[in-house]
Amino acid sequence: MSTKLKEKLEMNTQKLFPCPVCQSSENNSHLCEVDGYTIRGCKRCGAEFVSPMPDAEMLKAYYDRKQWFEGGERGGYEDYDRQTSASVAMIKPLLEAYGTKQGLSILDVGCGYGSHLNIAAELGWKCFGVELSDYARKIAQSRLEGRAYIVESAADLIPHEFDVVLMLDVVEHFPDPYPLFFSLFSIGAITPKTRVIISTPNAGSSEAEKDPKTWAYRHPPSHLVYFHAETLRFFLQKLRFTNIDVHGIYPLIPEGTKALTFADYGGLVAIAEGSDFTEFMHERYVPGTWSKIAEYEHLPRYELARRFVQGKAVLDFGCGSGYGSAMLAECADKVVGLDIDASAIDWAKTTHCRSGLNLEFYCCDDLGGTLPEASFDVVTCFEMIEHVNFETQCATLASAARLLRDDGILIISTPNPEVTSLYGENPYHLREMSREEFLELLSESFAHIHMLDQRVRESVTFDDVDLPKKPLEILGQQKDKKPPLAYIAFCSKTKLQNIVPAVVFNNSRDVIRDFLSQENKVNLIRFTCYSQNELLGNQSDSIKNLNEQLSNQLDSIKKLKATLDRYQIQAEMLTAKIAELNASNTSLQNIITEIKSSNWHQLGTTLRTERFSWRGIHTATILVAKMVLPVSIKRILRNMIRSQDRTSIVTKAVEYDQHQAYRVKQPAPIPGRRPCVVHIIANFCLGGSSRLVIDLIENLGHFYEHKILTSYAPNPPAYQGVDVDEISHSKNEQPFIAYLKSRKADFIHFHYWGECDKLWYTLAIRSAEKLGLKVIENINTPIAPYISPSVYRYIYVSNYVRHKFGQNKPEHITIYPGSDFSLFTRKPDDVLPENCIGMVYRLETDKLNESSIVPLIKAVQKRPNTKALIVGGGSLLEVFQRAVQAAGLNDKFEFTGYVSYDSLPDYYRKMTVFVAPVWKESFGQVSPFAMSMRIPVCGYDVGAIGEITDDRDVLAPAGDADGLADIIVRLLDDAEERKKIGEFQCQRAQSNFSVQAMVDAYARLYRELTGMPE
C-alpha cells in the first residue's frame, strides 16, 4: 500500500465514510481488515466496501502494469485469457440469441484483452470497449485491429446507443460505481432497450459469510466494493432499471443436490433493461452527470446560498434530485425540498435522507400553497422559473413571498438566453428571460432586489498556506464583456444587506494535469488524422497506377478472349472423350478395390511385410483358413470369436447372467411416421458395435424408428427391451430384400467387421443395392471397407484408420466412438495426486509389446519418489513383472491384474500421469477416460494417439523409451503444465469423445441423409 494512502487512512480513522451504493454513513460498521485496508459493511443495502478508497491516480498506475494481468499476484491474474474463459463461454450464447439482426452494437467496459469483443465481432456486431489499463488496452487493440473501437474511459466514447453493455467482473473495481453509469447515460449509451449484463463476486456466498477476511475475492485495492444479490438489485433499481434478473453463477455445491440459494453460489450475474435514467436527468441535475459546465452551473449556486442559511429554516423550491437541499441542510436548521415530480422526490429521499440532517422532501403541485405562511427564513429557487409560463412564474413568486418571513430572502436564478442559445433548442424551457425581464418579474412581488451575474472563468491563485483564511486580492481586474451564464437575484420585503460578489473554486479538478491529458489526446487525434490523410494520398497514387494496369489488362483480356473462343470448341470435344474414359476408369477402380480387399491380396501383403514375425504367421494362418476351410467349420470358429467379444478390455470374462442384461431405455416417439433405419450387424452380443446401436436408439429413437438385423443373437439376449431379428443362413439376398420391404426401411446402417462375415454382409449390401436404399457403413475395426455404390458415407473410428484403409474422398469420414464419462469425472475442487504414473490396458500384444513397460521403469529410475500403477491382466502381465523385478523396483510398481469396470475410476484417481506406451492404436477408451478425469495423457506417437491427445509435446517417437520417460518426468515435475494439459485434454474428451458428441455427429448425418429438420 502506498505511503499516500496510508496517510489518508490514518487521517480518517475515526470518520465514517458513506456507502458508495446507497450513500448511507450512519448504518456502516467495521467488518474486517485486509492487507492494511479497512472493510466496512452497510446494513442498509448490504454493500461491503473499502474505506477510505484509493485515489484514481493510484488505481491507474496499479492497473497499467503487466504483472496485474499475468504476474499471478493477489487480486490479479496469472493467465488472463485462461482465467476469463468462463465468462467468454457465458457471453457467446447471449449474443447468439439476437440472431442475424443487422446493425447491433456492444460496449464492453473493462474489456481486458478483448476476448468478449472478439466473439461479438465474429458475429457481426459493432464493437466498442473501455479499458483503463494502457497495457491491456494495447493488447486488445492489437488483437482486434480495426474491428473494435477501444478507449481509456467512458468519457472518450462517441455518443452512441448500445444494444448490449457488458460489465463482467468490473463493478467491484470502482471506488464509486455510479460515475461510470452517469457517463454512459449522458452520451445516450444506455436507453430503455439496452441490455446491461453485470457479473461480480458474491459477497453473500457461504464462503464470504464464513470468514469475510479470508474470502478468496477480498483483495483490495483490486476489489473495492462487494455486492450481495440485494445490493446489486438496489443499485440497478436506483438507476431506474425496471427489468432486473439477478441469479447466481459458479455453484459451490453440486447442482441437483438441493434447492440452491444465493449463498450456494460463488458469483452473481445481473441482466437489466428498461432504464429511463437519461430522460430522468435531462432537466434534472444529478452530480456527476452531464458535463463539467453543468457542474459549474448548478453546484456554485448552492455554495453561494449556504452563506445565508446558517441556523435558518429553508425551502428549496424545485429541488429536483435533492443534491442542493442536502448541501443546505449541512448548515441550515431545517430544509424542506419541494418538487412537482414524484420520481425526483423518490431519488432525493433514497439518496440524501439520513439521520443527523434536518431534511425533508415533498412532492406537490400547488406551489407550496399548503405550507404555512411566513414559515421560512430563506427560499431558494434555482433553474426552475424558466420551466413554467408567465402566469405560473407570477404565482410562484407570490407564493415565495407569502412563505417568507418579513426579513426573509428569496435567492433565485434563471439562465441567460444569450448563453442557452449556444446549447440548442430546449423544449423544457417555456419562458426564458433577459436581465431586464427577470428584474421586472421579481419587482411585482418584492421591493428590494440585488442582482449578481454568474460567470465561469479561468483563474490563477497565489495561496498563503500559513494564513489560509486571509482574503484574496483580485489582481488585474477588468470588466468582463462576455455575457453571464445566469442571473442570481436576492429578493426581500426589507432592505438587503451583505450581498457581495463571491467566487467558488473547483478544487476537485487538477487543471494542469487535465489540460495536458486532453492536449495529448488531441495531439494523438491530430496525428491519427495526419496518418490517415497520408495513407489516403498514397492509396490515391496506388489507385491511379492500378487503373493504368487495369486498362492494359483489359486490352490483353480482349485478345485472350478471341483465343479462348477458338479453344472452346476443341474443349467440348475433349470433354466428351474424357467422360468416356472416366466411365472405363471407374470400372477399373472397382475391380482394383475388390482385388485389394480379397484374401489373396491380404495374404500376399502379409507374406511380404511380416513373414518372419509371430503376428505375420498368425495373420497368414487365419487368411489361409478363410480360403480353404468349409463353411461349417468357419461358422464354428466364428461363434468362438463372438463369445470372446463378451470379454472386456480390462475385466475378466464372466458367465452370462440374464439379470445383468442391459435394459434399453426406449424414448417416446414424435407424432407421425418416423424414418426407419435398419442396423445390419453380424452378431448382437456384448461389444462396442452393439453398444453403438443401443446409444443411437436411446438418443435418436424420438425421431427415427430403429430395427436390428443380425446373423446371430445370443439367448438369453445381451440387451433387453429391444427387438432383434435374425437371418442366419441364406444362399441369396431374397430374405434380406423381403425383410427390408416388410420393415419399410428408409436407409441402412451397416456395421462392418470384415472377412469373418463377409458373405453374410455381401448378401445384405446387395439387397440394399437392388432396393435403391442408401447405406451408412461403419468400419469398426482397422480393415478395408466394403465398397458399394449404395454406400452414402464410410465412417471410421479415427482419422488414422481412415487414412490407412479408406479413400481420399468426401464420402469417407471420421466419427469418434463415444464413451460414457459419467463415472470418469472429477469435482472441480478435487486435488489431483502427486508422483504416480499409470496405465490401464488389456495386457496383450494387440496394442502392447514386451518393451511397453520400459519407459515406466526408466521414469521411476530417473525420479525415485515416483510410483507406478499397472491396471489390467493378460499374457504380458508376467513379462512386465519380471522386467520390474530385474530392475529392482518391485516396491515402486503395483500390478492389479483384472479388475471390475465399476472400480476403474478409483484406480484412475490415483494417477498423476497416464502413459500410453502402445505400438498400435486405432482408437481406445482408456486414454479418453483419463483425459475426462483431467489426468494428462502421454505416450508414443503411433496410430491415433496423436489425434486423441491433439498435443505432440506429450508424445515421443515410436519405441523411444528414454524420450517417453523424459516426458513423464517433465510432467511430474511441473504441476502447472500438468494442470493446463489436464484441463485442455478434459475439454477435448468431453467435446469429441463423449456419447453425446458421437450421437450429435450421427444425428447430423441422419438428417443430411433423410432431410429431417433439426
Side-chain angles (χ1 to χ4, degrees), residues 863-907:
R863 196 174 185 276
N865 62 333
T866 303
K867 297 284 188 179
L869 176 61
I870 313 300
V871 180
S875 61
L876 290 173
L877 176 59
E878 292 184 3
V879 176
F880 289 172
Q881 288 174 328
R882 287 196 297 271
V884 169
Q885 185 176 12
L889 298 173
N890 282 346
D891 61 327
K892 300 292 186 179
F893 278 74
E894 177 184 352
F895 292 90
T896 68
Y898 288 110
V899 299
S900 68
Y901 179 83
D902 290 343
S903 67
L904 272 180
D906 290 333
Y907 288 104

Side-chain angles (χ1 to χ4, degrees), residues 287-586:
T289 62
W290 297 114
S291 65
K292 208 67 179 174
I293 292 296
E295 179 181 323
Y296 291 158
E297 286 180 3
H298 293 79
L299 292 178
R301 293 169 188 157
Y302 282 101
E303 287 290 351
L304 178 64
R306 281 162 57 99
R307 295 173 55 194
F308 300 92
V309 301
Q310 188 74 36
K312 295 184 177 181
V314 181
L315 172 65
D316 189 15
F317 226 131
C319 64
S321 64
Y323 71 94
S325 304
M327 290 175 64
L328 299 176
E330 291 177 354
C331 51
D333 183 57
K334 171 187 176 182
V335 176
V336 174
L338 212 61
D339 202 280
I340 195 172
D341 188 344
S343 62
I345 292 299
D346 287 342
W347 174 277
K349 288 180 178 179
T350 303
T351 307
H352 301 296
C353 284
R354 54 186 182 269
S355 63
L357 283 181
N358 195 0
L359 175 61
E360 298 175 344
F361 292 100
Y362 295 101
C363 179
C364 71
D365 57 2
D366 63 354
L367 301 176
T370 56
L371 295 175
E373 183 177 350
S375 54
F376 294 98
D377 300 300
V378 177
V379 173
T380 55
C381 183
F382 296 139
E383 294 299 301
M384 174 270 181
I385 200 71
E386 64 274 6
H387 288 256
V388 295
N389 59 27
F390 177 71
E391 290 75 13
T392 308
Q393 288 177 344
C394 294
T396 300
L397 292 170
S399 179
R402 184 185 71 84
L403 294 170
L404 280 169
R405 298 188 174 102
D406 290 340
D407 59 348
I409 301 175
L410 166 67
I411 309 175
I412 185 170
S413 72
T414 193
N416 182 357
E418 193 175 349
V419 174
T420 57
S421 63
L422 302 175
Y423 303 159
E425 185 179 355
N426 189 334
Y428 299 96
H429 287 191
L430 301 186
R431 183 175 182 262
E432 293 183 348
M433 294 168 280
S434 66
R435 181 186 183 94
E436 292 73 21
E437 290 171 329
F438 190 33
L439 188 60
E440 182 180 356
L441 176 68
L442 297 171
S443 300
E444 292 295 322
S445 300
F446 294 93
H448 300 275
I449 302 169
H450 190 114
M451 190 86 74
L452 296 178
D453 290 347
Q454 180 181 357
R455 285 185 168 86
V456 178
R457 293 170 170 167
E458 287 189 321
S459 62
V460 176
T461 64
F462 300 94
D463 298 328
D464 188 338
V465 295
D466 297 322
L467 298 171
K469 294 185 179 181
K470 187 175 181 179
L472 291 173
E473 178 184 355
I474 299 177
L475 305 177
Q477 183 176 9
Q478 296 179 0
K479 185 173 179 64
D480 197 337
K481 297 181 180 180
K482 294 183 290 296
L485 174 70
Y487 304 112
I488 314 295
F490 293 79
C491 310
S492 179
K493 302 170 188 177
T494 60
K495 188 175 181 179
L496 289 163
Q497 296 179 352
N498 299 323
I499 308 298
V500 296
V503 61
V504 176
F505 291 114
N506 177 20
N507 294 321
S508 65
R509 182 184 177 196
D510 186 333
V511 176
I512 295 175
R513 187 183 298 274
D514 289 353
F515 176 82
L516 292 175
S517 175
Q518 195 66 25
E519 188 72 10
N520 288 337
K521 290 180 180 179
V522 170
N523 286 335
L524 180 61
I525 293 171
R526 289 169 178 159
F527 177 76
T528 302
C529 291
Y530 171 77
S531 300
Q532 293 294 330
N533 187 64
E534 190 175 38
L535 180 62
L536 286 173
N538 294 335
Q539 289 177 341
S540 178
D541 293 337
S542 299
I543 291 171
K544 184 178 179 180
N545 294 332
L546 287 173
N547 282 333
E548 293 176 357
Q549 295 175 27
L550 180 60
S551 178
N552 295 332
Q553 289 175 351
L554 287 173
D555 292 338
S556 300
I557 289 171
K558 289 178 182 178
K559 296 176 183 178
L560 289 172
K561 187 176 186 304
T563 305
L564 182 63
D565 290 339
R566 292 197 301 272
Y567 288 129
Q568 185 67 36
I569 297 174
Q570 298 178 32
E572 291 175 357
M573 296 173 62
L574 289 172
T575 300
K577 186 65 177 176
I578 290 170
E580 181 181 343
L581 292 173
N582 281 339
S584 300
N585 184 57
T586 300

